[in-house]
Amino acid sequence: HTTSDSQAHALSTKPWWLRLSWSSLPIQLFLVSIVTFGLLAPLACHRLLYSYFYLRQWHLDRMSQEFLQQNLEEGQAALRYFEELRATNGSAFWTGPPVPRPWLVITIITVDRQPGFHYVLQVASRFHRLLRRCGPRCRGYRLMLCNVERDPDRHRDAKLLANFFPSASRFEEAGEGSPDAPPVNQFEKEKQDYAYCLEKSLQNYDPEHVLLVEDDAIPDEQIFPVLHHLLGVRFSESQLGDTLYLKLYHPERLQHYINPEPMRILEWFGVGMFLGPLLSWVYVRLTGRPGLSWPIVLFFAVFSMGLVELVGRHYLLELRRLAPALYNVMPVTECCTPAMLFSAPSAHRVLSYLAELRCRGGFAKDTALYSLLRVKGERAFVVEPNLVKHVGMYSSLRSNFHPTLL
């Protein structure tokens, strides 16, 4: 008794952290956190471009060069695609019974860019393949090219595509390239180019919808099935008319949960509420504990929320590509306009709104469009994950001699 009492007394006088055993709950959860966030996740994710674990000092320059090389090869392949199509007198578009009013006009806005990459040919060839594959279901689709290069003859890729697709050229029209026209900054020119192409799409086709795509935004393989679902099932005609635009791209680096967008915060909590109980059940089964408890569930909810944020929300969104119905529609965020969908009524409103605005440095067309939501009381949405891939590392607005992926 004396020995056991002395041992018990010795144990009771030890600090609490020395009395913990390997089987105690705090120790096990601490070890799970250390192994996951300190070892497994960094090892698994250090090459993931949009993860917090990404080691840019190790990988960014190499990955950027590999991306540029791949993009260069894809540009050459797109050039060969259209040259072979021209040599065989192939039809550039699936032609079926004429439709009185196209359901969708896809307008590619293009300027002469970095030579060799043939950005606009990559975009046009992908759309061409997808439309051919879509067949009769896309009978009401039309593809149009909008050349906004100040010297249209200089844009050789646009001249090549004019052999296959209907095209409009802003600076070939009377008055557009007049020497007496007042000079505008590059940001205002880009806005005017955008408005011109949107207006020409409406004038030439009177479509139900217009998809404006910039010439460095390559469509995803599932873009048409997803658009069919969104416009035919998810949105009613009145909802589309009340929506100023539907954005099909948002930069992957800006898709994290920690941002000012309240809807993403709600989604983040939803991830914790789903994965927390699931991981808790797995933990209880593996450790042989009697059952779930609130501390365990709460720990794994926070654990899973931290893990998906650090690994990257972008990679979680990619799971939604399994089916068109899984794509998410969220309130729109400000940046970028590689691919924007407008209904005919909303396109007319956008044209009238843009005519009232003047763009400048710090207030480009994407910021101008986003500002309309507050000023005019409009609403807009973004589709997740992205339906186009932005491949243009060489900007048409800013000089960039050493582009990188981030």
Side-chain angles (χ1 to χ4, degrees), residues 153-168:
D153 291 334
R154 178 181 141 192
H155 196 346
R156 298 176 63 183
D157 287 345
K159 293 182 70 175
L160 173 62
L161 290 176
N163 296 313
F164 305 98
F165 308 111
S167 62

Side-chain angles (χ1 to χ4, degrees), residues 12-214:
S12 65
T13 57
K14 287 183 178 180
W16 64 268
W17 59 86
L18 294 179
R19 296 200 303 269
L20 294 175
S21 66
W22 291 109
S23 61
S24 69
L25 180 64
I27 286 291
Q28 289 184 351
L29 298 185
F30 176 74
L31 289 175
V32 167
S33 302
I34 292 297
V35 171
T36 301
F37 294 106
L39 181 63
L40 297 181
L43 285 176
C45 303
H46 69 95
R47 296 177 186 271
L48 297 182
L49 187 63
Y50 307 112
S51 170
Y52 285 107
F53 295 112
Y54 179 64
L55 296 178
R56 59 184 301 157
Q57 296 89 345
W58 288 12
H59 305 302
L60 182 59
D61 289 340
R62 177 184 54 79
M63 289 177 64
S64 298
Q65 290 304 312
E66 289 175 353
F67 183 85
L68 285 171
Q69 182 59 36
Q70 180 185 359
N71 204 219
L72 192 64
E73 294 171 1
E74 290 174 351
Q76 296 301 318
L79 176 62
R80 290 193 299 271
Y81 179 85
F82 283 108
E83 287 178 340
E84 291 170 4
L85 197 64
R86 181 171 58 180
T88 58
N89 294 318
S91 172
F93 205 77
W94 182 88
T95 55
V99 292
R101 186 185 185 194
W103 188 75
L104 176 68
V105 167
I106 305 160
T107 300
I108 305 173
I109 308 172
T110 182
V111 293
D112 190 34
R113 286 176 176 264
Q114 189 76 9
F117 288 90
H118 303 290
Y119 289 127
V120 68
L121 298 186
Q122 293 186 54
V123 176
S125 63
R126 176 65 66 85
F127 270 119
H128 181 226
R129 290 188 182 98
L130 294 177
L131 286 167
R132 277 187 161 178
R133 186 187 307 165
C134 185
R137 191 179 184 186
C138 295
R139 183 174 65 240
Y141 289 36
R142 294 295 178 266
L143 188 60
M144 172 182 162
L145 187 71
C146 188
N147 183 1
V148 293
E149 178 63 41
R150 288 188 184 274
D151 181 2
D153 291 334
R154 178 181 141 192
H155 196 346
R156 298 176 63 183
D157 287 345
K159 293 182 70 175
L160 173 62
L161 290 176
N163 296 313
F164 305 98
F165 308 111
S167 62
S169 182
R170 180 185 172 195
F171 292 95
E172 282 184 352
E173 294 196 359
E176 287 289 351
S178 170
D180 299 327
V184 295
N185 65 71
Q186 188 63 25
F187 296 94
E188 175 64 16
K189 177 192 176 295
E190 189 184 51
K191 185 213 76 177
Q192 294 178 6
D193 294 343
Y194 204 77
Y196 169 84
C197 294
L198 183 56
E199 185 175 23
K200 278 297 177 182
S201 304
L202 296 171
Q203 289 178 354
N204 292 356
Y205 292 99
D206 186 30
E208 294 184 40
H209 308 93
V210 177
L211 175 58
L212 281 189
V213 181
E214 295 176 4

